Amino acid sequence: MTMPDWAGAEAAVEAAVSWGADEPGGAVILFDAAGLRVSRTGGVESLSTLTPFSIDTVVRHASVTKHVFAAFVLAHPEAISLDDPLGEHLPQLAPATAAVTVGRALDMSGGIPDTRECLTLIGHSIFTETRAPDLLAFHAALRRTNYAPGTEVHYSNGGYRLVEEAMRAHGLLFDDYLGRTLREGLGISMHAAEMWTDPVQGLGTGYWFDGTGWKMGLQGMHLSAAGSLIGSGRGLAEWGRTLLRGEGSLATVLARLSARRHLADGRPTDYGLGLRRQKVGARELVGHGGSQPGFKSYLLLDPETMTGCAVVANRDDANTSDIAARIMAALFGESLPVAGSGLVPGLYVADEGADWIEAGKASVSRLDDEVAVYPVEGGGVDSLSPTSSLQLHMEGSDVVGEVGHAPRRYRPVRPEPLPADLAGEWISEDAGARLEIRDGAVVMGAGPTRRSMPLLSLGGRRFLFTLHDGPWTRRICLHRLSTGRIELALSRARMIEFGSR
């Protein structure tokens, strides 16, 4: 077994915590099965009070929630199985979604559209308030999945929302599990908040920087078990230690959560049930990150040495995944790859469908999902990401390879004029949404929220437009399916259709 270098890791922790006393900050905690070994904090938990950030500052863990929720699902085999179709528990779902199994909904291979990105595509802001029953009805009306279940792996929160609703249909609530298993059983204070505006004792404020100053983070959508967990850095580290020790009812949970899942053709994937396998040098660790407006978290574990790192922050620009990886690399004397790309920079589009990429100097964006890429032997690049998987290389002027484990070819963009018959009003019957195409732009919203977004041609009846929404900027692909029919697509939601009026 590799012996950890605690002194080297402590130096890496010190280097990572550089947040000033008058700005948002965070905490970094290094631990093993015996206890917390190193912790450092910086910045403040509130710009209103300037209270220093501590390891007990309460934050939103966002998508770190996923593996904790999956543990809740595994704890109730009498009610639900990973092999059950979702429709067995939620009969109101449309056939395509109803056929997706619980396991595929949790391991990102089910193709279930992401709720938040669907709302973006029909014109709802990040600040628009939505409630759980209405969002379930919205999902139930969606007729398509992003792709056939078991054929690809792409990140989406939608599956977790639906599995939570399936558990709720059996009278099983996520926060009740947290109360019994964590708060009462382990003394770890973690809660699941339904809405951003729910009062939470001790909760720090999250911030994002708009180029001129810090703004408070806010989200109107019901949070769901895809990202509802709230707790402290200390609590997250203690939960990590609990998983590593694997005692009592959690004896095999870490192994089950991190076990490799498989596509329909038998190929293994590196995303399990809310945990991803992650290479740090020669070592394979498991972990997950979380991001919500103003908050970032990461938990990274090494089951072999029973060590781990928890990182939390109340600032949107904190790269918690990179911090955790660098600290664990220092702990084991490993080196991390340097991002870079030999792909010719520019925009490329697939032969069919709403699918495009943009190659940069050290990253690739696919359907607006930007991920760092790393050179591989023999040319080409690899994203090394289980949920944004890219293995691409140049073939002449084309970019070819695999995206999300599916074969793809992208050709350089060849712009074309905007067809005259795209102009007019378009209606999404399933969502009751509308947009206009006028003067070469997509127009969404009403009154003071009305905005006009110019269309950029990608060729082959595909066009991009850019939508600004609080801390987010989204590049949306408009694809003309046929005369009188278009679809809008982002990485996590590719199936919102509109018909001409």
Side-chain angles (χ1 to χ4, degrees), residues 5-33:
D5 176 6
W6 294 106
E10 184 171 3
V13 171
E14 293 279 4
V17 179
S18 59
W19 304 300
D22 60 349
E23 59 182 332
V28 180
I29 303 171
L30 193 60
F31 56 88
D32 62 13

PDB file of all heavy atoms in Angstrom, residues 5-33:
ATOM      1  N   ASP A   5       1.934  10.943   1.919  1.00  0.00           N
ATOM      2  CA  ASP A   5       2.880  12.003   2.269  1.00  0.00           C
ATOM      3  C   ASP A   5       2.076  13.160   2.858  1.00  0.00           C
ATOM      4  O   ASP A   5       1.671  14.084   2.157  1.00  0.00           O
ATOM      5  CB  ASP A   5       3.642  12.440   1.011  1.00  0.00           C
ATOM      6  CG  ASP A   5       4.581  13.610   1.272  1.00  0.00           C
ATOM      7  OD1 ASP A   5       4.745  14.019   2.444  1.00  0.00           O
ATOM      8  OD2 ASP A   5       5.132  14.149   0.289  1.00  0.00           O
ATOM      9  N   TRP A   6       1.848  13.138   4.163  1.00  0.00           N
ATOM     10  CA  TRP A   6       1.001  14.140   4.790  1.00  0.00           C
ATOM     11  C   TRP A   6       1.618  15.531   4.738  1.00  0.00           C
ATOM     12  O   TRP A   6       0.908  16.530   4.592  1.00  0.00           O
ATOM     13  CB  TRP A   6       0.696  13.735   6.232  1.00  0.00           C
ATOM     14  CG  TRP A   6      -0.142  12.504   6.313  1.00  0.00           C
ATOM     15  CD1 TRP A   6       0.252  11.251   6.671  1.00  0.00           C
ATOM     16  CD2 TRP A   6      -1.536  12.396   6.001  1.00  0.00           C
ATOM     17  NE1 TRP A   6      -0.796  10.365   6.605  1.00  0.00           N
ATOM     18  CE2 TRP A   6      -1.912  11.045   6.202  1.00  0.00           C
ATOM     19  CE3 TRP A   6      -2.496  13.307   5.578  1.00  0.00           C
ATOM     20  CZ2 TRP A   6      -3.212  10.587   5.990  1.00  0.00           C
ATOM     21  CZ3 TRP A   6      -3.792  12.854   5.367  1.00  0.00           C
ATOM     22  CH2 TRP A   6      -4.145  11.512   5.574  1.00  0.00           C
ATOM     23  N   ALA A   7       2.940  15.599   4.861  1.00  0.00           N
ATOM     24  CA  ALA A   7       3.593  16.912   4.810  1.00  0.00           C
ATOM     25  C   ALA A   7       3.438  17.539   3.432  1.00  0.00           C
ATOM     26  O   ALA A   7       3.152  18.738   3.302  1.00  0.00           O
ATOM     27  CB  ALA A   7       5.076  16.779   5.170  1.00  0.00           C
ATOM     28  N   GLY A   8       3.620  16.743   2.386  1.00  0.00           N
ATOM     29  CA  GLY A   8       3.451  17.252   1.031  1.00  0.00           C
ATOM     30  C   GLY A   8       2.018  17.675   0.763  1.00  0.00           C
ATOM     31  O   GLY A   8       1.761  18.704   0.124  1.00  0.00           O
ATOM     32  N   ALA A   9       1.065  16.890   1.283  1.00  0.00           N
ATOM     33  CA  ALA A   9      -0.340  17.235   1.099  1.00  0.00           C
ATOM     34  C   ALA A   9      -0.704  18.499   1.871  1.00  0.00           C
ATOM     35  O   ALA A   9      -1.473  19.331   1.385  1.00  0.00           O
ATOM     36  CB  ALA A   9      -1.218  16.071   1.549  1.00  0.00           C
ATOM     37  N   GLU A  10      -0.136  18.667   3.068  1.00  0.00           N
ATOM     38  CA  GLU A  10      -0.420  19.875   3.844  1.00  0.00           C
ATOM     39  C   GLU A  10       0.077  21.119   3.115  1.00  0.00           C
ATOM     40  O   GLU A  10      -0.593  22.158   3.110  1.00  0.00           O
ATOM     41  CB  GLU A  10       0.217  19.788   5.227  1.00  0.00           C
ATOM     42  CG  GLU A  10      -0.116  20.970   6.113  1.00  0.00           C
ATOM     43  CD  GLU A  10       0.329  20.786   7.545  1.00  0.00           C
ATOM     44  OE1 GLU A  10       0.954  19.749   7.846  1.00  0.00           O
ATOM     45  OE2 GLU A  10       0.037  21.669   8.377  1.00  0.00           O
ATOM     46  N   ALA A  11       1.236  21.016   2.473  1.00  0.00           N
ATOM     47  CA  ALA A  11       1.747  22.145   1.691  1.00  0.00           C
ATOM     48  C   ALA A  11       0.813  22.465   0.530  1.00  0.00           C
ATOM     49  O   ALA A  11       0.587  23.635   0.203  1.00  0.00           O
ATOM     50  CB  ALA A  11       3.148  21.829   1.176  1.00  0.00           C
ATOM     51  N   ALA A  12       0.230  21.431  -0.082  1.00  0.00           N
ATOM     52  CA  ALA A  12      -0.711  21.642  -1.183  1.00  0.00           C
ATOM     53  C   ALA A  12      -1.998  22.297  -0.675  1.00  0.00           C
ATOM     54  O   ALA A  12      -2.589  23.139  -1.352  1.00  0.00           O
ATOM     55  CB  ALA A  12      -1.020  20.313  -1.869  1.00  0.00           C
ATOM     56  N   VAL A  13      -2.418  21.926   0.517  1.00  0.00           N
ATOM     57  CA  VAL A  13      -3.599  22.554   1.115  1.00  0.00           C
ATOM     58  C   VAL A  13      -3.330  24.033   1.352  1.00  0.00           C
ATOM     59  O   VAL A  13      -4.158  24.892   1.040  1.00  0.00           O
ATOM     60  CB  VAL A  13      -3.992  21.838   2.430  1.00  0.00           C
ATOM     61  CG1 VAL A  13      -5.076  22.630   3.152  1.00  0.00           C
ATOM     62  CG2 VAL A  13      -4.473  20.420   2.151  1.00  0.00           C
ATOM     63  N   GLU A  14      -2.166  24.340   1.925  1.00  0.00           N
ATOM     64  CA  GLU A  14      -1.806  25.736   2.181  1.00  0.00           C
ATOM     65  C   GLU A  14      -1.817  26.550   0.885  1.00  0.00           C
ATOM     66  O   GLU A  14      -2.303  27.690   0.849  1.00  0.00           O
ATOM     67  CB  GLU A  14      -0.416  25.806   2.821  1.00  0.00           C
ATOM     68  CG  GLU A  14      -0.332  25.230   4.216  1.00  0.00           C
ATOM     69  CD  GLU A  14      -0.809  26.202   5.275  1.00  0.00           C
ATOM     70  OE1 GLU A  14      -1.282  27.294   4.911  1.00  0.00           O
ATOM     71  OE2 GLU A  14      -0.727  25.859   6.464  1.00  0.00           O
ATOM     72  N   ALA A  15      -1.280  25.965  -0.180  1.00  0.00           N
ATOM     73  CA  ALA A  15      -1.216  26.678  -1.459  1.00  0.00           C
ATOM     74  C   ALA A  15      -2.603  26.890  -2.051  1.00  0.00           C
ATOM     75  O   ALA A  15      -2.842  27.873  -2.760  1.00  0.00           O
ATOM     76  CB  ALA A  15      -0.342  25.900  -2.440  1.00  0.00           C
ATOM     77  N   ALA A  16      -3.540  25.985  -1.748  1.00  0.00           N
ATOM     78  CA  ALA A  16      -4.878  26.063  -2.343  1.00  0.00           C
ATOM     79  C   ALA A  16      -5.742  27.132  -1.701  1.00  0.00           C
ATOM     80  O   ALA A  16      -6.639  27.683  -2.343  1.00  0.00           O
ATOM     81  CB  ALA A  16      -5.575  24.709  -2.244  1.00  0.00           C
ATOM     82  N   VAL A  17      -5.501  27.422  -0.440  1.00  0.00           N
ATOM     83  CA  VAL A  17      -6.355  28.354   0.296  1.00  0.00           C
ATOM     84  C   VAL A  17      -5.735  29.748   0.248  1.00  0.00           C
ATOM     85  O   VAL A  17      -4.861  30.091   1.034  1.00  0.00           O
ATOM     86  CB  VAL A  17      -6.554  27.890   1.752  1.00  0.00           C
ATOM     87  CG1 VAL A  17      -7.414  28.882   2.516  1.00  0.00           C
ATOM     88  CG2 VAL A  17      -7.188  26.505   1.786  1.00  0.00           C
ATOM     89  N   SER A  18      -6.178  30.557  -0.690  1.00  0.00           N
ATOM     90  CA  SER A  18      -5.601  31.893  -0.882  1.00  0.00           C
ATOM     91  C   SER A  18      -6.664  32.976  -0.883  1.00  0.00           C
ATOM     92  O   SER A  18      -6.420  34.086  -1.344  1.00  0.00           O
ATOM     93  CB  SER A  18      -4.826  31.928  -2.207  1.00  0.00           C
ATOM     94  OG  SER A  18      -5.677  31.619  -3.301  1.00  0.00           O
ATOM     95  N   TRP A  19      -7.859  32.677  -0.362  1.00  0.00           N
ATOM     96  CA  TRP A  19      -8.947  33.632  -0.375  1.00  0.00           C
ATOM     97  C   TRP A  19      -8.748  34.674   0.726  1.00  0.00           C
ATOM     98  O   TRP A  19      -8.438  34.349   1.871  1.00  0.00           O
ATOM     99  CB  TRP A  19     -10.282  32.913  -0.193  1.00  0.00           C
ATOM    100  CG  TRP A  19     -10.476  31.838  -1.235  1.00  0.00           C
ATOM    101  CD1 TRP A  19     -10.518  32.008  -2.584  1.00  0.00           C
ATOM    102  CD2 TRP A  19     -10.636  30.436  -1.014  1.00  0.00           C
ATOM    103  NE1 TRP A  19     -10.711  30.798  -3.226  1.00  0.00           N
ATOM    104  CE2 TRP A  19     -10.788  29.816  -2.274  1.00  0.00           C
ATOM    105  CE3 TRP A  19     -10.684  29.634   0.134  1.00  0.00           C
ATOM    106  CZ2 TRP A  19     -10.982  28.445  -2.425  1.00  0.00           C
ATOM    107  CZ3 TRP A  19     -10.871  28.266  -0.011  1.00  0.00           C
ATOM    108  CH2 TRP A  19     -11.017  27.691  -1.279  1.00  0.00           C
ATOM    109  N   GLY A  20      -8.936  35.934   0.385  1.00  0.00           N
ATOM    110  CA  GLY A  20      -8.692  37.029   1.319  1.00  0.00           C
ATOM    111  C   GLY A  20      -9.792  37.207   2.348  1.00  0.00           C
ATOM    112  O   GLY A  20     -10.890  36.645   2.237  1.00  0.00           O
ATOM    113  N   ALA A  21      -9.495  38.033   3.360  1.00  0.00           N
ATOM    114  CA  ALA A  21     -10.401  38.220   4.491  1.00  0.00           C
ATOM    115  C   ALA A  21     -11.596  39.101   4.162  1.00  0.00           C
ATOM    116  O   ALA A  21     -12.480  39.270   4.999  1.00  0.00           O
ATOM    117  CB  ALA A  21      -9.634  38.820   5.665  1.00  0.00           C
ATOM    118  N   ASP A  22     -11.634  39.685   2.963  1.00  0.00           N
ATOM    119  CA  ASP A  22     -12.754  40.542   2.573  1.00  0.00           C
ATOM    120  C   ASP A  22     -13.473  40.012   1.342  1.00  0.00           C
ATOM    121  O   ASP A  22     -14.142  40.757   0.627  1.00  0.00           O
ATOM    122  CB  ASP A  22     -12.271  41.962   2.317  1.00  0.00           C
ATOM    123  CG  ASP A  22     -11.231  42.025   1.193  1.00  0.00           C
ATOM    124  OD1 ASP A  22     -10.751  40.954   0.766  1.00  0.00           O
ATOM    125  OD2 ASP A  22     -10.911  43.148   0.766  1.00  0.00           O
ATOM    126  N   GLU A  23     -13.363  38.699   1.087  1.00  0.00           N
ATOM    127  CA  GLU A  23     -14.005  38.092  -0.074  1.00  0.00           C
ATOM    128  C   GLU A  23     -14.570  36.737   0.308  1.00  0.00           C
ATOM    129  O   GLU A  23     -14.192  36.160   1.338  1.00  0.00           O
ATOM    130  CB  GLU A  23     -13.004  37.946  -1.230  1.00  0.00           C
ATOM    131  CG  GLU A  23     -11.797  37.097  -0.882  1.00  0.00           C
ATOM    132  CD  GLU A  23     -10.791  36.999  -2.021  1.00  0.00           C
ATOM    133  OE1 GLU A  23     -11.214  37.110  -3.179  1.00  0.00           O
ATOM    134  OE2 GLU A  23      -9.603  36.794  -1.745  1.00  0.00           O
ATOM    135  N   PRO A  24     -15.509  36.205  -0.490  1.00  0.00           N
ATOM    136  CA  PRO A  24     -16.007  34.854  -0.216  1.00  0.00           C
ATOM    137  C   PRO A  24     -14.856  33.856  -0.199  1.00  0.00           C
ATOM    138  O   PRO A  24     -13.809  34.083  -0.811  1.00  0.00           O
ATOM    139  CB  PRO A  24     -16.967  34.591  -1.380  1.00  0.00           C
ATOM    140  CG  PRO A  24     -17.341  35.940  -1.886  1.00  0.00           C
ATOM    141  CD  PRO A  24     -16.133  36.802  -1.682  1.00  0.00           C
ATOM    142  N   GLY A  25     -15.048  32.747   0.474  1.00  0.00           N
ATOM    143  CA  GLY A  25     -13.930  31.809   0.640  1.00  0.00           C
ATOM    144  C   GLY A  25     -14.355  30.368   0.637  1.00  0.00           C
ATOM    145  O   GLY A  25     -15.247  29.964  -0.101  1.00  0.00           O
ATOM    146  N   GLY A  26     -13.732  29.591   1.513  1.00  0.00           N
ATOM    147  CA  GLY A  26     -14.012  28.170   1.552  1.00  0.00           C
ATOM    148  C   GLY A  26     -13.145  27.449   2.547  1.00  0.00           C
ATOM    149  O   GLY A  26     -12.389  28.061   3.317  1.00  0.00           O
ATOM    150  N   ALA A  27     -13.243  26.129   2.517  1.00  0.00           N
ATOM    151  CA  ALA A  27     -12.489  25.269   3.428  1.00  0.00           C
ATOM    152  C   ALA A  27     -11.993  24.046   2.685  1.00  0.00           C
ATOM    153  O   ALA A  27     -12.675  23.527   1.792  1.00  0.00           O
ATOM    154  CB  ALA A  27     -13.364  24.847   4.611  1.00  0.00           C
ATOM    155  N   VAL A  28     -10.808  23.585   3.061  1.00  0.00           N
ATOM    156  CA  VAL A  28     -10.214  22.362   2.519  1.00  0.00           C
ATOM    157  C   VAL A  28      -9.870  21.465   3.694  1.00  0.00           C
ATOM    158  O   VAL A  28      -9.210  21.910   4.646  1.00  0.00           O
ATOM    159  CB  VAL A  28      -8.958  22.668   1.688  1.00  0.00           C
ATOM    160  CG1 VAL A  28      -8.363  21.371   1.146  1.00  0.00           C
ATOM    161  CG2 VAL A  28      -9.279  23.624   0.545  1.00  0.00           C
ATOM    162  N   ILE A  29     -10.312  20.216   3.642  1.00  0.00           N
ATOM    163  CA  ILE A  29     -10.099  19.286   4.745  1.00  0.00           C
ATOM    164  C   ILE A  29      -9.537  17.976   4.188  1.00  0.00           C
ATOM    165  O   ILE A  29     -10.123  17.378   3.283  1.00  0.00           O
ATOM    166  CB  ILE A  29     -11.404  19.008   5.504  1.00  0.00           C
ATOM    167  CG1 ILE A  29     -12.015  20.316   6.012  1.00  0.00           C
ATOM    168  CG2 ILE A  29     -11.160  18.046   6.664  1.00  0.00           C
ATOM    169  CD1 ILE A  29     -13.399  20.156   6.590  1.00  0.00           C
ATOM    170  N   LEU A  30      -8.429  17.544   4.730  1.00  0.00           N
ATOM    171  CA  LEU A  30      -7.799  16.272   4.370  1.00  0.00           C
ATOM    172  C   LEU A  30      -7.984  15.318   5.542  1.00  0.00           C
ATOM    173  O   LEU A  30      -7.776  15.700   6.701  1.00  0.00           O
ATOM    174  CB  LEU A  30      -6.320  16.508   4.081  1.00  0.00           C
ATOM    175  CG  LEU A  30      -5.516  15.412   3.392  1.00  0.00           C
ATOM    176  CD1 LEU A  30      -6.100  15.072   2.028  1.00  0.00           C
ATOM    177  CD2 LEU A  30      -4.063  15.848   3.248  1.00  0.00           C
ATOM    178  N   PHE A  31      -8.377  14.080   5.252  1.00  0.00           N
ATOM    179  CA  PHE A  31      -8.725  13.166   6.338  1.00  0.00           C
ATOM    180  C   PHE A  31      -8.352  11.737   6.000  1.00  0.00           C
ATOM    181  O   PHE A  31      -8.064  11.392   4.843  1.00  0.00           O
ATOM    182  CB  PHE A  31     -10.230  13.254   6.642  1.00  0.00           C
ATOM    183  CG  PHE A  31     -11.116  12.994   5.443  1.00  0.00           C
ATOM    184  CD1 PHE A  31     -11.533  11.710   5.107  1.00  0.00           C
ATOM    185  CD2 PHE A  31     -11.541  14.052   4.641  1.00  0.00           C
ATOM    186  CE1 PHE A  31     -12.350  11.477   4.017  1.00  0.00           C
ATOM    187  CE2 PHE A  31     -12.364  13.832   3.541  1.00  0.00           C
ATOM    188  CZ  PHE A  31     -12.768  12.538   3.228  1.00  0.00           C
ATOM    189  N   ASP A  32      -8.362  10.898   7.031  1.00  0.00           N
ATOM    190  CA  ASP A  32      -8.261   9.455   6.845  1.00  0.00           C
ATOM    191  C   ASP A  32      -9.277   8.794   7.762  1.00  0.00           C
ATOM    192  O   ASP A  32     -10.094   9.478   8.391  1.00  0.00           O
ATOM    193  CB  ASP A  32      -6.839   8.937   7.075  1.00  0.00           C
ATOM    194  CG  ASP A  32      -6.332   9.179   8.486  1.00  0.00           C
ATOM    195  OD1 ASP A  32      -7.148   9.532   9.377  1.00  0.00           O
ATOM    196  OD2 ASP A  32      -5.124   9.021   8.724  1.00  0.00           O
ATOM    197  N   ALA A  33      -9.250   7.472   7.851  1.00  0.00           N
ATOM    198  CA  ALA A  33     -10.264   6.767   8.618  1.00  0.00           C
ATOM    199  C   ALA A  33     -10.223   7.133  10.091  1.00  0.00           C
ATOM    200  O   ALA A  33     -11.238   7.062  10.793  1.00  0.00           O
ATOM    201  CB  ALA A  33     -10.095   5.265   8.440  1.00  0.00           C
TER     202      ALA A  33
END
